[in-house]
Amino acid sequence: MPQFAEVVLPLAVQGTYTYRIPPTMQVGAGWRVLVPFGRKKYYTAIVVMTHDVEPKGYKVKEILAVLDQGPVLRHPQLKFWQWIADYYLCTVGEVYKAAVPSGLKVESETFISPNPDFEENPPGSLNDREKVILDFTTQRGKVQITELSNATGFKNVESIVSRLLDKGAVHVAERMVDNYRPKTETCVRLTVERNDEKALHALFDKVSRAKKQEQLLLAYLDLSHWLQRSKALIEVTQEDLLKRSSCTQPVLAAARKNGIFEIYKREINRFEMLGSGLVDLPTLTAVQDTAYKQLHASFREKEITLLHGVTSSGKTSIYMHLINDALQQGKQVLYLVPEIALTTQLTQRLQRVFGERLLIYHSKFSDNERVDIWKKLLTSSDPCVIIGVRSSVFLPYSSLGLVIVDEEHDTSYKQQDPAPRYNGRDTAILLAHMHGAKVVLGSATPAIETYYKATTGRYGLVELATRYDDIEMPQVQIIDTKKAWKKHEMNGLFSQELTDECRKALKNNEQVILFQNRRGYAPMVRCKDCAWVPTCVNCDVSLTYHRHVDTLTCHYCGYTITLPTVCPACGNPSLQVVGYGTERIEDEIDKVFPGEKISRMDLDTTRSKTSYDRIIDDFSKHRTSILVGTQMVTKGLDFDAVSIVGILNADTMIHFPDFRSHERAFNMMEQVAGRAGRKHKQGKVIIQSSNPEHPVIEKVVKHDYKGFYEQQIADRQQFGYPPFTRIINIYLKHKQDETVVEMALRYSNLLRQVFGNRVLGPEAPMVAKVQTMYIRQIVLKMELNASMVKVKKILRDLYEQLLATDSRMRSTRLYFDVDPV
């Protein structure tokens, strides 16, 4: 029997750690175990392997407990985690932390409790802050350090607590916290055995003079099938029993006291079985049916196929037929979408067809709900469809047969912070390969890299060039805002043509979408007299004004202040808002079209679990006429009556110092344009720009993706950008600007010794300070056939080499972003 276990911890630490397995304990790969780590911390670790080789040179700690009766991972999840860690240059522990719902990670949390025997000796030995912490702790009895920090606002709570510990004023207590709480419901059962007729008659005798209790008893016998011996006994919930008997809670309490019923709790799955009254699969048009057959033909030769279909061509209907084929074969299907907002409409469509076989998984679900879905997939291999965002790739699939990545071009598939900085599309492709599953990548505007692979034969390619029912692509009109300003035809951010077209649409009971890729009321506040601009104290950015709460907020760190009434620099009441965010557009459009119902979709209005559903449902059912939004409104939403789409400022998307800026701008404009005229007639798109002759805008006007792609691929090849190279962004952060500049320079010099002219930089990024940390960026351009495992080792070795020669590197944070978007 193995004596030792190699485990991975949910921490950014290299490698695995060895723990001794107690003689009476049984564990295996994929099991959750509770282990001590550090001086007083406990974590849930995942066992990677067991063995009999005792480590030398240190005392091996023992596993404290096994948390399950079996593994919580399926094959090949550990292998999948390792690939992500190697490719995206992070640790397996960081992958584990991102992959597993926090409800499955038991951790210790530090609590502080007062020492009842403490006496301040000598008097006055505690300073003011120590007294505040001690008083707060005494009032609460036991309090977390994080709660102390939030309640007092002190930034150095840990050091204050440390001093109080040294003085004996407080104690530290560790409490194990299991974040998962199973959902339960209250059930009722009789106090007698089912086959004991004599005992049942005795119960009736007890309630013979209590008619309400007798009603309860009769209702229970009916609901539970107690007297129908050929049927299995059914558990009866308290709610159902009271409803069937028309009795109240006190009546049940009396019956329980009378010895008739027992009350107990049973654990239930939070995920409600969806769907009733299922409908048939949608009938495919001749064009869609051809594409569907071409996909199946492509699957015989290629693992991955790109479905390039223009907006509103009916890609979802084809997906549903492919899903049905996989389910018929007993397989599971993963349907990835880039935004939670997309799950709202898709869920309704898929639910009507696939019913209870549909599962939904995304970050707006609570930890407990996500744990329930995880456990459902872990304990069942039944065919089902999982629809979700990028984190859905980490679920424990058993028989994955098909992966659909909808809107595969979307940048939301890329995780930014924290690590692992993975791309959901690319990891889904790897996951499918491990399961032997087929992959469909769908988009009207495929990523340049994806389309290149499809046109060069690495992926299959199926194209849908016409919209459903042969509806025409929307007409695109360009408004030159420079000319419009000169002619006094601009009202704020709205041109006269846009206002007129919106008015016509609303008069015809049609709907309007206005797109501005910036949230908040205004991106900047400025003093008219001295040009003072409020900036974040932690980040190198100006503060965004949010009018509905009258605050200035940093969108990088959350720092917030109230809008001053006078300029702090010159003392004059001359502050003005500059620019337009979605919040300001919502206010302005309300003045232009008074009485019209307006809704806004951005990060500020979609923070709650149900906010997406409410906004989309209201717009779908015409409760609102105008939808103002950021890029959220560009992503595959389907609205019947939208005839006008206004892109209010195309210039901010195009003029961005990044090799992908034109691709992002084209994709967003073409995608949001696709929301217009989707069912009944040709729609109209109005793009406002001060540079109407820009090549990107010209391609959007013609809906010419292929022409745009040819321009881009030529530029990428000339300058050595993806898909011809692999980009790795290397970031260094430090609290002191001088230190990060020097460390970045020294690290880049070490890199050049190995990688030569593949290294660019270091340089300051656009935002050179975030959350009090100064940043420098190094770009590494690698050949596509370079081993990421070897690259990772070289980068790590050079970091350790620099660490050994300069102690300042220890306080410098270093991280990597592979394939940035």
Side-chain angles (χ1 to χ4, degrees):
M1 184 174 176
Q3 296 179 324
F4 301 96
E6 295 296 317
V7 305
V8 58
L9 293 157
L11 302 170
V13 291
Q14 297 291 329
T16 59
Y17 285 77
T18 308
Y19 285 85
R20 188 182 301 278
I21 304 171
T24 58
M25 184 180 291
Q26 180 184 355
V27 298
W31 290 49
R32 289 193 308 153
V33 293
L34 187 65
V35 297
F37 189 77
R39 294 183 64 187
K40 285 192 174 182
K41 290 293 182 182
Y42 306 93
Y43 291 97
T44 298
I46 299 288
V47 176
V48 175
M49 62 176 289
T50 58
H51 59 83
D52 292 315
V53 182
E54 183 173 2
K56 304 298 182 184
Y58 64 92
K59 185 179 179 181
V60 182
K61 294 181 180 180
E62 196 169 78
I63 295 173
L64 298 178
V66 176
L67 300 176
D68 304 284
Q69 297 303 310
V72 295
L73 303 182
R74 286 184 183 271
H75 178 78
Q77 279 180 284
L78 284 170
K79 183 180 176 184
F80 183 53
W81 288 6
Q82 187 62 59
W83 180 88
I84 292 174
D86 288 340
Y87 186 84
Y88 291 104
L89 307 181
C90 63
T91 67
V92 178
E94 288 171 305
V95 181
Y96 164 31
K97 190 171 184 179
V100 176
S102 59
L104 287 175
K105 297 193 287 282
V106 179
E107 295 183 1
S108 67
E109 295 179 349
T110 303
F111 283 79
I112 305 300
S113 58
N115 178 3
D117 300 324
F118 173 71
E119 293 182 3
E120 192 175 356
N121 187 20
S125 60
L126 298 181
N127 63 35
D128 290 342
R129 292 198 166 200
E130 290 169 349
K131 288 177 181 177
V132 169
I133 295 291
L134 183 58
D135 289 346
F136 188 84
T137 305
T138 302
Q139 290 171 14
R140 297 294 182 91
K142 183 184 284 188
V143 64
Q144 270 183 273
I145 286 183
T146 51
E147 189 180 349
L148 281 171
S149 183
N150 293 334
T152 63
F154 298 161
K155 292 184 178 179
N156 58 338
V157 167
E158 290 83 0
S159 62
I160 300 172
V161 169
S162 179
R163 293 198 298 270
L164 289 172
L165 283 168
D166 291 341
K167 295 174 182 178
V170 295
H171 295 307
V172 171
E174 291 292 329
R175 185 186 75 177
M176 297 313 303
V177 177
D178 186 345
N179 292 319
Y180 176 64
R181 294 291 181 271
K183 184 176 182 180
T184 60
E185 61 183 1
T186 303
C187 293
V188 179
R189 62 186 169 214
L190 292 184
T191 56
V192 300
E193 296 295 328
R194 189 181 188 186
N195 56 1
D196 192 340
E197 295 289 341
K198 186 176 180 181
L200 180 62
H201 283 296
L203 292 184
F204 272 105
D205 291 339
K206 280 187 176 184
V207 298
S208 60
R209 296 188 179 183
K211 294 302 180 186
K212 288 289 185 182
Q213 293 183 37
E214 187 179 49
Q215 284 176 228
L216 276 174
L217 181 54
L218 291 169
Y220 176 84
L221 296 175
D222 183 31
L223 287 169
S224 66
H225 297 164
W226 181 281
L227 300 176
Q228 297 165 278
R229 298 300 169 86
S230 60
K231 294 183 179 180
L233 196 65
I234 295 175
E235 288 185 283
V236 177
T237 67
Q238 176 179 289
E239 182 181 358
D240 289 344
L241 180 62
L242 295 176
K243 187 175 181 180
R244 174 66 67 89
S245 63
S246 300
C247 293
T248 60
Q249 185 73 42
V251 176
L252 179 59
R256 182 185 182 188
K257 190 175 181 180
N258 200 13
I260 310 298
F261 294 111
E262 292 177 352
I263 308 294
Y264 67 98
K265 301 275 188 181
R266 73 168 179 181
E267 183 177 336
I268 60 171
N269 197 304
R270 276 181 176 77
F271 192 81
E272 296 180 5
M273 292 302 180
L274 299 172
S276 58
L278 303 182
V279 300
D280 294 332
L281 285 165
T283 302
L284 298 179
T285 65
V287 175
Q288 289 172 336
D289 188 57
T290 299
Y292 166 70
K293 290 174 180 175
Q294 288 175 344
L295 281 165
H296 271 294
S298 179
F299 286 160
R300 289 193 285 271
E301 299 179 3
K302 308 284 186 183
E303 286 188 351
I304 307 158
T305 300
L306 170 64
L307 178 58
H308 178 207
V310 298
T311 53
S312 196
S313 56
K315 294 187 288 294
T316 306
S317 295
I318 297 173
Y319 296 155
M320 291 166 79
H321 280 261
L322 294 173
I323 290 168
N324 187 63
D325 293 341
L327 295 177
Q328 293 296 322
Q329 296 167 14
K331 298 292 187 178
Q332 296 170 330
V333 179
L334 171 59
Y335 191 145
L336 279 183
V337 292
E339 290 273 7
I340 296 168
L342 278 182
T343 62
T344 300
Q345 287 190 328
L346 279 174
T347 298
Q348 294 168 357
R349 291 185 65 179
L350 297 174
Q351 180 182 334
R352 286 194 289 267
V353 176
F354 301 111
E356 65 181 27
R357 292 180 293 179
L358 177 68
L359 301 174
I360 310 151
Y361 189 83
H362 55 63
S363 60
K364 291 292 182 184
F365 278 17
S366 69
D367 283 331
N368 290 332
E369 289 170 316
R370 280 182 280 172
V371 169
D372 278 341
I373 295 172
W374 184 286
K375 287 186 172 181
K376 182 178 178 67
L377 287 174
L378 191 66
T379 56
S380 170
S381 297
D382 294 341
C384 60
V385 189
I386 296 91
I387 181 171
V389 292
R390 60 175 181 258
S391 58
S392 305
V393 299
F394 293 118
L395 286 167
Y397 302 100
S398 57
S399 56
L400 197 60
L402 176 66
V403 173
I404 297 168
V405 186
D406 199 16
E407 309 294 346
E408 65 83 28
H409 66 277
D410 201 288
T411 56
S412 297
Y413 281 122
K414 185 71 160 74
Q415 163 76 6
Q416 300 299 334
D417 276 312
R421 296 170 181 84
Y422 68 101
N423 189 306
R425 174 197 64 205
D426 299 338
T427 51
I429 289 172
L430 189 277
L431 178 71
H433 176 73
M434 288 181 169
H435 282 268
K438 300 299 183 182
V439 181
V440 179
L441 306 176
S443 177
T445 56
I448 299 296
E449 291 95 321
T450 301
Y451 200 70
Y452 175 77
K453 291 173 183 176
T455 53
T456 55
R458 183 171 171 184
Y459 295 170
L461 176 62
V462 175
E463 303 203 77
L464 272 172
T466 59
R467 285 183 139 191
Y468 182 78
D469 263 2
D470 291 323
I471 293 172
E472 293 182 83
M473 293 295 288
Q475 173 192 352
V476 182
Q477 178 183 348
I478 309 298
I479 304 297
D480 187 336
T481 52
K482 285 192 295 187
K483 291 181 180 179
W485 277 111
K486 289 178 182 177
K487 294 179 180 179
H488 304 288
E489 293 177 349
M490 293 291 292
N491 178 14
L493 207 59
F494 311 108
S495 63
Q496 189 61 53
E497 289 95 331
L498 176 59
T499 305
D500 291 343
E501 291 292 344
C502 290
R503 188 168 282 112
K504 287 179 192 174
L506 296 170
K507 189 176 180 181
N508 293 331
N509 200 31
E510 295 166 347
Q511 292 173 298
V512 173
I513 290 178
L514 298 175
F515 171 61
Q516 172 77 343
N517 202 28
R518 188 185 290 274
R519 64 187 173 102
Y521 188 82
M524 190 172 69
V525 170
R526 183 175 60 202
C527 176
K528 289 187 290 186
D529 294 338
C530 71
W532 174 81
V533 175
T535 56
C536 179
V537 297
N538 303 316
C539 309
D540 189 19
V541 293
S542 60
L543 299 176
T544 300
Y545 179 49
H546 290 259
R547 187 176 179 182
H548 71 289
V549 288
D550 199 34
T551 59
L552 294 164
T553 301
C554 174
H555 287 171
Y556 285 84
C557 72
Y559 171 76
T560 300
I561 61 172
T562 304
L563 180 69
T565 54
V566 298
C567 174
C570 67
N572 294 328
S574 51
L575 294 178
Q576 63 175 357
V577 294
V578 180
Y580 286 81
T582 48
E583 187 186 336
R584 186 175 185 183
I585 290 166
E586 182 184 23
D587 279 0
E588 297 287 327
I589 207 72
D590 187 45
K591 297 172 186 175
V592 178
F593 301 108
E596 294 291 347
K597 297 290 186 182
I598 304 166
S599 59
R600 173 164 54 96
M601 182 185 286
D602 56 28
L603 187 62
D604 297 318
T605 61
T606 55
R607 295 188 187 277
S608 73
K609 181 177 176 179
T610 59
S611 53
Y612 286 104
D613 297 7
R614 177 181 49 78
I615 293 169
I616 292 170
D617 192 55
D618 285 349
F619 198 65
S620 297
K621 295 179 178 177
H622 289 234
R623 297 191 194 107
T624 52
S625 305
I626 302 172
L627 178 62
V628 178
T630 57
Q631 60 180 344
M632 288 182 183
V633 302
T634 71
K635 301 173 189 283
L637 297 171
D638 187 358
F639 301 115
D640 291 351
V642 174
S643 61
I644 298 295
V645 167
I647 299 174
L648 300 179
N649 190 350
D651 302 329
T652 56
M653 294 181 282
I654 295 172
H655 303 300
F656 200 81
D658 179 61
F659 77 94
R660 293 189 194 274
S661 61
H662 286 184
E663 181 183 4
R664 279 195 299 264
F666 179 88
N667 289 351
M668 278 195 279
M669 286 191 278
E670 185 65 19
Q671 289 286 340
V672 76
R675 305 314 113 206
R678 296 175 65 82
K679 289 285 173 73
H680 306 297
K681 70 172 190 178
Q682 184 183 25
K684 189 170 187 178
V685 181
I686 298 175
I687 300 177
Q688 297 184 161
S689 172
S690 61
N691 187 10
E693 290 83 25
H694 195 284
V696 172
I697 294 177
E698 289 179 349
K699 297 302 180 187
V700 173
V701 171
K702 298 175 184 176
H703 304 291
D704 184 10
Y705 172 81
K706 291 184 180 179
F708 170 75
Y709 166 79
E710 288 165 3
Q711 285 181 349
Q712 287 293 300
I713 203 69
D715 290 345
R716 301 275 185 97
Q717 188 165 21
Q718 180 181 356
F719 296 106
Y721 282 107
F724 303 102
T725 59
R726 175 175 291 122
I727 299 292
I728 303 172
N729 282 343
I730 303 170
Y731 293 96
L732 293 93
K733 291 185 175 182
H734 198 278
K735 288 190 175 292
Q736 294 180 354
D737 192 23
E738 301 81 6
T739 301
V740 78
V741 168
E742 187 173 346
M743 291 299 99
L745 189 60
R746 294 188 63 182
Y747 191 59
S748 64
N749 289 337
L750 290 174
L751 290 172
R752 282 190 178 87
Q753 293 176 17
V754 179
F755 297 110
N757 60 5
R758 299 179 185 88
V759 181
L760 304 176
E763 61 182 18
M766 280 191 64
V767 180
K769 181 186 176 187
V770 174
Q771 296 181 357
T772 73
M773 302 287 280
Y774 293 93
I775 310 168
R776 287 298 180 272
Q777 176 184 349
I778 303 168
V779 177
L780 187 58
K781 283 187 178 181
M782 294 301 301
E783 292 83 359
L784 296 176
N785 59 359
S787 165
M788 292 302 287
V789 175
K790 291 181 180 178
V791 170
K792 181 180 182 180
K793 185 179 186 309
I794 292 170
L795 293 173
R796 181 73 190 176
D797 289 347
L798 293 178
Y799 165 74
E800 291 178 357
Q801 181 181 332
L802 184 55
L803 191 65
T805 59
D806 196 325
S807 60
R808 291 175 298 174
M809 197 63 189
R810 192 173 301 280
S811 57
T812 303
R813 186 185 170 206
L814 174 73
Y815 65 92
F816 310 97
D817 187 7
V818 181
D819 300 336
V821 298

